[in-house]
Amino acid sequence: TELNEVNEAASWYPNPASDFIYINLNENFEGEIRVYDMMGKKVADSTVKKGHGLHVMSISHLSTGIYTLDIGGAKSKVLVK
């Protein structure tokens, strides 16, 4: 599984994903993680407090498609299958 680096504060895997996205966060990261569909509608979100290294986000409710993962303002594409 390829590690997808968003910025110096975060990376995530797997891509494509089906049930969960595993997000490795810098210990100093604190903020919002959001998932948007291709129309720009927010379909999932999570708040992360400082000091969490690995964050697991459920995406099992999402239909197959391409989504945008927004980690503290840095964006990356996610393929959900």
Side-chain angles (χ1 to χ4, degrees):
T1 300
E2 181 179 329
L3 189 65
N4 301 277
E5 189 170 339
V6 177
N7 58 28
E8 66 280 351
S11 60
W12 60 275
Y13 62 94
N15 192 16
S18 55
D19 294 320
F20 297 96
I21 297 173
Y22 299 89
I23 305 165
N24 293 311
L25 298 166
N26 179 303
E27 293 293 322
N28 293 320
F29 178 85
E30 182 173 22
E32 296 289 323
I33 298 174
R34 298 180 184 101
V35 179
Y36 296 93
D37 66 15
M38 293 308 291
M39 300 299 291
K41 178 182 173 190
K42 183 171 61 173
V43 293
D45 65 343
S46 185
T47 300
V48 178
K49 300 288 184 194
K50 209 178 254 189
H52 291 271
L54 178 65
H55 184 74
V56 180
M57 188 170 194
S58 175
I59 57 163
S60 59
H61 64 285
L62 299 179
S63 301
T64 299
I66 299 173
Y67 295 84
T68 299
L69 178 63
D70 179 335
I71 303 174
K75 296 181 172 75
S76 184
K77 297 290 183 198
V78 180
L79 175 63
V80 175
K81 61 177 186 171

